[in-house]
Amino acid sequence: MHHVLRRLDLNLLPVFDAVYRHRSVRLAAAELAMSTSALSHALTRLREFLKDPLFYREGHKMCPSVFACQLAPYIAGSLSTLNQHLSPLQPFDPLASTETFRIAVTDYTAFCIFPGLMKETEKMAPDITFELCHLPYNPALKELLAGEIDLALSFSEANEGKHQDLEEVDLFSDEFVVISNINRLSMTLEEYLSAGHVVVTPWNEKKGLLDAHLARLGLERRISLRTPSMLASPHIIAESDLLMAIPALVASKIAELASIKTFPLPFYAPPFTVKIYSHKRSGKKSSTDWLKKVILQSIKEKK
């Protein structure tokens, strides 16, 4: 493997590139901080290795051979790529950045985080963009580990295990409440179980998170409508006798938009924590670390 590169002094490639661009040994030597005799010696070694004159003098200019013209774009491209990827990472500059962040969300996490986040980034980083995507499971582990997304905004319950390659940042805690139409007067466990339910399953699960808690109690609810999005759900609740368990933060907001009533959950379910998930070895760590700080700040200002 790389049998040619093993025999070639790679320091000769910048020499070739500089002479090709400047058409001058003197100017190439000045750029590379070499003496003209040292550069001429390096060029001689490269000619001997490649078995081609590479450059010949015509007046005051060094004109490239046909082979040198064919070789030049490959050497220039390779040097540029190596220089770009081997250079130390520069600090992220939000004001100058045009970066696009690809973030996995659910309706709920986008609803909670992006209104405040967009307000912040419009001032701090006016030219960055976001691409939000819904992924088929929580918390988008495969996509994060493969580098296909930059962050995932999701939630977990207490005592859930952590993945060794992921960083988790806690944003805030929330809990489930029950919403109904405005005509309902009470919410006992018996009434809850006898009603039909709308359940949001953002990762296309067969059942919602609360069904697992009910199963531990030996109970089961009747799911009348399963949907990946909560957008139409409050209006469905307002126009029917169905019930829906949703996070308290969302319930407080949608009560302003739909004729609904809110009740405490009539059985125990632990609160959950909304988190930012990211890869510990992300290639965009400087910019994603900045974004995580801005998300945290936007949450604090909203409280």
Side-chain angles (χ1 to χ4, degrees), residues 10 12 14 30 64 72 81 107 155 163 174 201 213 216 227 235 269-270:
L10 297 181
L12 300 178
T81 299
D107 280 354
F155 54 84
H163 194 286
D174 204 351
T201 52
H213 295 301
R216 294 188 191 102
T227 173
H235 302 285

Side-chain angles (χ1 to χ4, degrees), residues 8-27:
L8 173 65
D9 181 354
L10 297 181
N11 290 311
L12 300 178
L13 299 183
V15 170
F16 173 93
D17 181 64
V19 174
Y20 184 84
R21 285 184 288 104
H22 291 294
R23 302 294 201 265
S24 165
V25 169
R26 180 179 62 82
L27 293 178

Side-chain angles (χ1 to χ4, degrees), residues 73-117:
Y74 297 104
I75 291 178
S78 299
L79 292 174
S80 176
T81 299
L82 285 171
N83 189 61
Q84 176 184 348
H85 289 285
L86 295 177
S87 297
L89 290 176
Q90 297 300 309
F92 178 68
D93 181 0
L95 278 174
S97 177
T98 58
E99 195 162 326
T100 295
F101 294 93
R102 194 163 189 259
I103 303 177
V105 297
T106 64
D107 280 354
Y108 168 61
T109 53
F111 181 90
C112 293
I113 292 165
F114 268 86
L117 178 60

Side-chain angles (χ1 to χ4, degrees), residues 138-200:
N138 179 34
L141 291 177
K142 289 184 179 179
E143 285 77 8
L144 278 170
L145 295 173
E148 295 174 4
I149 58 174
D150 302 308
L151 299 174
L153 302 176
S154 192
F155 54 84
S156 67
E157 293 185 336
N159 302 319
E160 282 192 13
K162 294 185 178 182
H163 194 286
Q164 63 181 3
D165 291 322
L166 296 184
E167 290 181 348
E168 300 179 12
V169 177
D170 293 354
L171 291 177
F172 60 89
S173 293
D174 204 351
E175 61 182 358
F176 282 101
V177 297
V178 184
I179 61 172
S180 74
N181 64 40
I182 59 173
N183 299 319
R184 183 173 288 275
L185 301 176
S186 62
M187 182 64 62
T188 66
L189 179 58
E190 183 179 357
E191 289 170 333
Y192 181 85
L193 295 175
S194 64
H197 292 262
V198 176
V199 177
V200 176

